[in-house]
Amino acid sequence: MSRTRTALLAAMALVAGATGSAIAAVPGDAGAAAVPCTVDYKVQNQWDTGFTASVTVTNHGAAKSSWAVKWTYAGNQKVTSGWNAKITQSGANVTAANESYNATLASGGSATFGFQGSYSGTNAVPATFTLDGVTCNVDSGGPTDPPDPTDPPPGNRVDNPYDGAKVYVNPEWSANAAAEPGGSRIANQPTGVWLDRIAAINGAGGKMGLRDHLDEALEQKGSGELVVQLVIYNLPGRDCAALASNGELGPTEINRYKSEYIDPIAEILADSKYASLRIVTTVEIDSLPNLVTNVSPRATATPNCDTMKANGNYVKGVGYALNKLGDVPNVYNYVDAGHHGWLGWDDNFGASAEMFKQAATAEGATVADVHGFIANTANYSALKEDHFSVNDTVAGKSVRESKWVSWNRYVDELSYAQALREKLVSLGFDSKIGMLIDTSRNGWGGANRPTGPGATTSVDTYVDGGRYDRRFNTGNWCNQAGAGLGERPQASPEPGIDAYVWMKPPGESDGASKAIDNDEGKGFDRMCDPTYTGNPRNDNNMSGALADAPISGHWFSAQFQELMRNAYPPLS
Ligand code: BGC
């Protein structure tokens, strides 16, 4: 903030010196009456091809019941989306007209709206603005005022939405948890609300719809700040590398995804009634990384992932979602970023980051639509492995050569998330993006939790004896036996990390352990069958899944009980 403020004052002083009258534009000044309006146009964020700006118009004349601000660009700026005004552009001429909810402009009152635009070359601030055809005084940061890294991010979003905020407790999950013996110890924890099919928007099968959740969120909010966590999860050809969470839309149904799923969600989120909520969206779990790791010519390829890569509908869907949801000024988009045991290898890490950039610049989205990324959603990767690191050498071998690490560059989620953040910033994402880590089921506590490093006989005894994560392989993802609740949700736990969250609601199954008929499009994936001996995606290991599991998303009491027993930190 400070640098912009100084530059602004300097610019005003310059104008005042030159004309001797600009100071009269300051509201409340004796001479202000002569100035019908003031426009404050600020470039908030700027990158090589785009920018976001915030405009405040102050009316010094008689009260108005509707208004329109106009300006003309000297360069090739193009407004691509706006908020809190209806913004249209014809050639270089831009008109920003009121929305119904900010139509009245009292005498002395102001309205603020914002927008995102593209440009090349210079991004000069327009010289003249009018309010309803009358020229206003300009009160701007000026064309050479670079965005200050401490300025608030686009749309006046706060840097970390979790800071100083409570997080929404989903009453439906909470009731399931509270109904379990011992469940009241965690039933008041916040968990993600999964919009996992079109019908979930209005409420499927008697369950709460999106508006029901947001109305309840306003109740929980009271006079403080509150984050609501939504999971956007309904891409065409969903879950292309597995079967347990296949969805309702076929691989080609991108238009239905846009018009029947994203558009209605965006419309509800944009309701001014909900403007005071901080709405965090987790965008499309397990989608983009599949286009990197599970496509031909790799041995891990699946036909469905090859299809989704070829038809581009994951990239388009994610781009569209980011663009539309990002237009809502109080939405904070976090893109799913897999987990270290999937993308931590050199072959996957950079290529995935580039894939995220590609999707974040598709279908009208820009990097400014991305507030951050989320790691480990619905997965089991340990947050921190304290007893070994990739830099350790045992019996002449690097830990990276152990069977468990298998040349991965990362051994836990925290180091992975922090490194990925740096990589994404280097590719052009905002330097203030933050990471979320889903710690709902990565605790790995209980009696089997190691208390020190393994024996130094070999890298394998060393790593296997010391690791918290008890899976057979980090490629295992379904209802893992032995897992526990991880860190409780909390804001700003580590540098670069906006929050630990429970995006996957503990106790909800990852998939059925045998085929079960259902009307949700869910298939039977053998990775959820405890007798399955694996495939190339888990390096042909046993699945490690619990028996007797219901289909994904359904309540799995036995798993919930085990997660509580093996919680780390333990439950008191
Ligand atoms: C399922 C969703 C469910 C979510 C949260 C996913 O695996 O496919 O239907 O809402 O988990 O439990």
Side-chain angles (χ1 to χ4, degrees), residues 1 43 73 104 132 452 522:
M1 211 20 147
V43 174
Y73 281 122
T104 49
D132 296 333
K522 310 263 171 73

Side-chain angles (χ1 to χ4, degrees), residues 51-105:
F51 68 103
T52 58
S54 157
V55 179
T56 298
V57 55
T58 305
N59 175 26
H60 302 304
K64 292 171 179 294
S65 58
S66 70
W67 50 267
V69 175
K70 298 191 183 195
W71 66 87
T72 302
Y73 281 122
N76 62 357
Q77 293 99 327
K78 274 258 169 319
V79 175
T80 50
S81 62
W83 46 91
N84 295 340
K86 294 193 179 76
I87 308 183
T88 52
Q89 183 165 0
S90 158
N93 301 321
V94 180
T95 302
N98 63 270
E99 294 279 8
S100 55
Y101 54 83
N102 61 3
T104 49
L105 201 48

Side-chain angles (χ1 to χ4, degrees), residues 157-402:
R157 294 176 178 101
V158 294
D159 182 16
N160 179 358
Y162 289 85
D163 272 346
K166 291 187 290 189
V167 188
Y168 176 63
V169 177
N170 179 345
E172 293 179 328
W173 177 81
S174 184
N176 284 335
E180 290 282 342
S184 60
R185 291 173 297 174
I186 56 164
N188 62 352
Q189 291 292 347
T191 53
V193 172
W194 288 61
L195 299 171
D196 65 349
R197 69 202 86 160
I198 291 163
I201 301 170
N202 290 324
K207 293 190 42 179
M208 292 169 79
L210 179 53
R211 280 187 183 275
D212 300 325
H213 283 295
L214 297 175
D215 290 340
E216 168 65 19
L218 288 172
E219 296 284 317
Q220 291 184 18
K221 176 180 179 294
S223 56
E225 299 290 348
L226 181 113
V227 169
V228 184
Q229 305 176 129
L230 304 178
V231 180
I232 303 298
Y233 190 51
N234 199 33
L235 275 179
R238 190 175 77 186
D239 206 15
C240 67
L243 303 168
S245 282
N246 291 159
E248 65 189 345
L249 298 180
T252 61
E253 293 191 286
I254 183 71
N255 290 336
R256 289 191 64 200
Y257 179 76
K258 292 178 179 178
S259 64
E260 294 177 44
Y261 182 68
I262 295 298
D263 290 351
I265 293 174
E267 194 182 320
I268 293 170
L269 299 186
D271 188 333
S272 57
K273 192 177 165 189
Y274 305 126
S276 64
L277 299 170
R278 298 178 179 177
I279 301 170
V280 162
T281 60
T282 292
V283 178
E284 295 297 355
I285 311 310
D286 288 1
S287 56
L288 302 172
N290 271 322
L291 303 183
V292 174
T293 69
N294 293 325
V295 291
S296 298
R298 296 201 188 190
T300 46
T302 69
N304 289 340
C305 291
D306 278 340
T307 299
M308 297 322 296
K309 172 120 195 232
N311 70 18
N313 286 342
Y314 276 7
V315 168
K316 286 182 206 155
V318 170
Y320 190 83
L322 292 173
N323 182 21
K324 287 288 162 179
L325 302 172
D327 283 349
V328 183
N330 53 317
V331 163
Y332 297 78
N333 284 322
Y334 288 81
V335 179
D336 183 62
H339 63 104
H340 91 276
W342 184 6
L343 304 183
W345 283 271
D346 293 349
D347 286 359
N348 301 346
F349 188 79
S352 296
E354 275 160 29
M355 182 61 76
F356 302 152
K357 173 86 184 283
Q358 190 191 331
T361 49
E363 297 280 316
T366 74
V367 289
D369 288 314
V370 176
H371 205 79
F373 290 79
I374 177 163
N376 204 42
T377 304
N379 207 274
Y380 297 86
S381 288
L383 184 64
K384 299 178 190 172
E385 289 286 7
D386 296 323
H387 305 313
F388 66 101
S389 96
V390 283
N391 302 318
D392 297 346
T393 300
V394 174
K397 280 192 172 177
S398 159
V399 152
R400 293 187 65 216
E401 295 182 64
S402 66

Side-chain angles (χ1 to χ4, degrees), residues 396-410:
K397 280 192 172 177
S398 159
V399 152
R400 293 187 65 216
E401 295 182 64
S402 66
K403 193 163 173 287
W404 173 254
V405 178
S406 188
W407 296 105
N408 199 324
R409 191 67 67 178
Y410 303 93

